[in-house]
């Protein structure tokens, strides 16, 4: 079975992990700090605070906004559930908006249609790695959490996606363009919020026992608990994988782009298939997933599965999930729910895999 997502890991990652073993320190430490520094430098970010997942990053960012309890936060319905969970767990209400049919991204128009008198912030997702149009959204004047989980290599002009909002959030889980196995990160231009992010990451501890002893204060086993927080630390084993991936990211991205461009050309003549959009001139796509829109989507997915090609839909619209009790109709998200399909796109695909996928997709009308 050809998987729909995949990361490419090997000897470079093993060498970095072996160094953790040689140091006899697998917990959060020097590898984590090195990844934070190198990632921020590559993306020209002011900082990065690594956490145990992108989901934790969304939660931390929502908490750090410091909104009044029960605030409404507008977010796309067509996204991963962690976005809505972060809002609920931080004590606020998710309000779902629609997305553009051609991009899967929110716009000022879809956001404004969902705004309420209690709206206090917006969460933006760069769907599939295609940059959302950020400046008009920033012009709304609301705090913005920028979910760049799909967009680790995406740019709007010269600036990295994740650097436009009040907070930017990244994901480094097993299927992302840059993997740690599990991990995520948060960035912000506000130095006070960076300190608070570190606090939240480490169970709300303001001064560790090590810091106390290093300062010569005595009683190094004591520490200050500043607030009640989850423990969101990532291990150096995860960061070691991330460091190796970061050095290889250009090559991994080049492979993704080659496959993307091959698909774009191979499907150009199919009038029954809608291809995803490329980034605007001067911007950059991350090519996280290749999402087509086709008739008879469910039958098509089954036909591809029978040929050994795994596909999926990213994502089932959140407003259709009963847990959120959203009494709304979002036509584009619901249309995508019926027509959209992610086909395999990742650096582990061989040329023969790609040819098989193209041939199978082109022959789908024969199965209808």
């Amino acid at each position: 079975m050809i998987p729909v997502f995949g990361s490419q890991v090997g000897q470079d990652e093993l060498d970095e992990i072996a160094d953790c073993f040689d140091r006899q320190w697998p917990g959060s430490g020097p590898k984590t700090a090195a990844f934070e520094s190198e990632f921020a430098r590559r993306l020209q970010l002011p900082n990065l605070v690594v956490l145990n997942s992108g989901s934790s990053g969304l939660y931390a960012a929502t908490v750090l906004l410091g909104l009044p309890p029960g605030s409404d936060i507008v977010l796309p319905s067509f996204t991963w559930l962690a976005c809505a969970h972060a809002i609920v767990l931080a004590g606020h209400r998710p309000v779902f908006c629609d997305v553009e049919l051609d991009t899967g991204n929110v716009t000022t128009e879809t956001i404004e249609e969902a705004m309420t008198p209690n709206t206090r912030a917006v969460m933006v997702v760069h769907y599939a790695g295609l940059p959302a149009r950020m400046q008009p959204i920033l012009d709304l004047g609301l705090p913005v959490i920028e979910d760049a989980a799909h967009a680790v290599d995406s740019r709007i002009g010269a600036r990295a996606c994740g650097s436009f909002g009040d907070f930017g959030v990244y994901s480094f889980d097993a299927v992302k363009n840059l993997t740690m196995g599990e991990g995520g990160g948060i960035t912000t231009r506000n130095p006070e919020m960076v300190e608070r992010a570190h606090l939240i990451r480490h169970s709300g501890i303001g001064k560790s026992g090590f810091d106390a002893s290093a300062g010569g204060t005595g009683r190094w086993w004591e520490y200050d608990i500043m607030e009640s927080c989850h423990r969101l630390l990532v291990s150096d084993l995860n960061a070691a994988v991330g460091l190796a991936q970061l050095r290889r990211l250009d090559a991994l991205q080049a492979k993704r782009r080659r496959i993307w461009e091959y698909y774009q050309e191979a499907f150009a003549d199919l009038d029954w298939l809608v291809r995803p959009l490329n980034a605007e001139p001067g911007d950059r796509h991350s090519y996280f997933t290749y999402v087509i829109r086709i008739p008879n989507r469910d039958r098509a997915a089954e036909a591809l599965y029978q040929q050994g090609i795994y596909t999926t839909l990213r994502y089932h619209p959140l407003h259709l999930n009963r847990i959120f009790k959203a009494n709304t109709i979002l036509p584009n998200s619901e249309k995508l729910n019926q027509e959209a399909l992610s086909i395999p796109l990742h650096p582990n695909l061989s040329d023969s895999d790609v040819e098989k996928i193209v041939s199978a997709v082109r022959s789908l009308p024969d199965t209808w």
Side-chain angles (χ1 to χ4, degrees):
M1 182 69 66
I2 300 175
V4 66
F5 296 119
S7 300
Q8 188 180 87
V9 293
Q11 191 60 49
D12 290 343
E13 288 76 12
L14 287 172
D15 290 343
E16 284 286 351
I17 292 171
D19 188 53
C20 293
F21 281 31
D22 291 341
R23 294 169 183 263
Q24 288 294 294
W25 184 251
S28 185
K31 295 285 187 186
T32 301
F35 179 84
E36 289 175 332
S37 176
E38 291 188 23
F39 185 89
R41 183 166 56 250
R42 177 189 169 94
L43 272 66
Q44 298 179 303
L45 302 174
N47 50 70
L48 182 77
V49 180
V50 175
L51 306 169
N52 59 358
S53 69
S55 299
S56 292
L58 291 167
Y59 168 73
T62 308
V63 169
L64 290 169
L65 284 178
L67 303 176
S71 294
D72 288 350
I73 300 179
V74 176
L75 75 159
S77 175
F78 195 64
T79 189
W80 179 232
L81 56 85
C83 295
H85 282 346
I87 294 168
V88 172
L89 293 172
H92 305 302
R93 187 174 80 102
V95 178
F96 299 110
C97 71
D98 213 347
V99 296
E100 278 187 319
L101 190 60
D102 290 340
T103 67
N105 283 332
V106 297
T107 66
T108 52
E109 291 76 18
T110 65
I111 291 168
E112 287 177 323
E113 288 172 1
M115 288 174 60
T116 73
N118 195 40
T119 298
R120 297 291 180 269
V122 175
M123 188 177 288
V124 176
V125 179
H126 300 288
Y127 179 70
L130 178 67
R133 293 187 288 275
M134 288 301 301
Q135 191 56 55
I137 295 171
L138 297 173
D139 289 343
L140 293 174
L142 291 166
V144 173
I145 295 173
E146 192 181 352
D147 183 341
H150 296 179
V152 71
D153 199 42
S154 299
R155 290 185 175 271
I156 301 173
R159 288 182 60 180
C161 289
S163 69
F164 290 85
D166 295 77
F167 295 94
V169 179
Y170 300 93
S171 174
F172 311 121
D173 70 24
V175 302
K176 293 302 192 299
N177 300 52
L178 188 162
T179 185
M180 285 184 171
E182 291 292 347
I186 182 172
T187 186
T188 176
R189 294 182 299 276
N190 187 327
E192 292 181 8
M193 292 298 101
V194 177
E195 292 302 313
R196 281 207 64 208
H198 281 104
L199 187 78
I200 289 173
R201 176 174 73 175
H202 198 196
S203 306
I205 296 175
K207 180 184 283 188
S208 70
F210 177 82
D211 290 337
S213 64
T217 60
R219 294 201 178 194
W220 53 86
W221 50 85
E222 293 182 354
Y223 45 81
D224 295 326
I225 305 173
M226 308 301 292
E227 56 185 291
S228 296
C229 302
H230 300 287
R231 181 181 171 93
L232 307 177
L233 289 171
V234 71
S235 79
D236 266 18
L237 297 176
N238 297 104
V241 175
L243 278 168
Q245 289 271 296
L246 195 56
R247 290 193 294 268
R248 299 171 53 218
L249 185 57
D250 287 338
L252 296 172
Q253 285 299 105
K255 178 70 177 290
R256 285 179 178 268
R257 180 173 182 171
R258 286 196 300 271
I259 296 169
W260 173 284
E261 291 176 345
Y262 190 82
Y263 285 159
Q264 290 289 68
E265 184 176 350
F267 301 143
D269 64 327
L270 303 181
D271 58 7
W272 49 268
L273 181 149
V274 178
R275 297 173 296 163
L277 294 183
N278 294 315
E280 293 289 332
D283 295 347
R284 190 159 75 199
H285 204 301
S286 277
Y287 313 111
F288 170 62
T289 183
Y290 191 87
V291 186
I292 58 176
R293 285 168 40 214
I294 50 176
N296 301 312
R297 193 272 318 278
D298 291 359
R299 288 172 62 185
E302 180 64 28
L304 292 172
Y305 185 84
Q306 293 301 321
Q307 296 180 68
I309 301 168
Y310 194 80
T311 60
T312 191
L313 170 63
R314 302 293 272 197
Y315 298 96
H316 178 59
L318 296 176
H319 76 283
L320 300 179
N321 280 265
R322 288 177 293 176
I323 188 174
F324 297 117
K325 300 181 176 64
N327 184 23
T328 187
I329 297 172
L330 302 176
N332 288 347
S333 297
E334 292 171 27
K335 188 175 180 64
L336 289 169
N337 192 42
Q338 297 300 319
E339 296 181 356
L341 190 68
S342 287
I343 66 173
L345 174 62
H346 54 84
N348 285 328
L349 294 176
S350 66
D351 291 346
S352 61
D353 289 335
V354 174
E355 290 291 351
K356 179 178 179 179
I357 293 162
V358 167
S359 177
V361 169
R362 291 186 61 86
S363 66
L364 280 174
D366 297 338
T367 69
W368 300 336

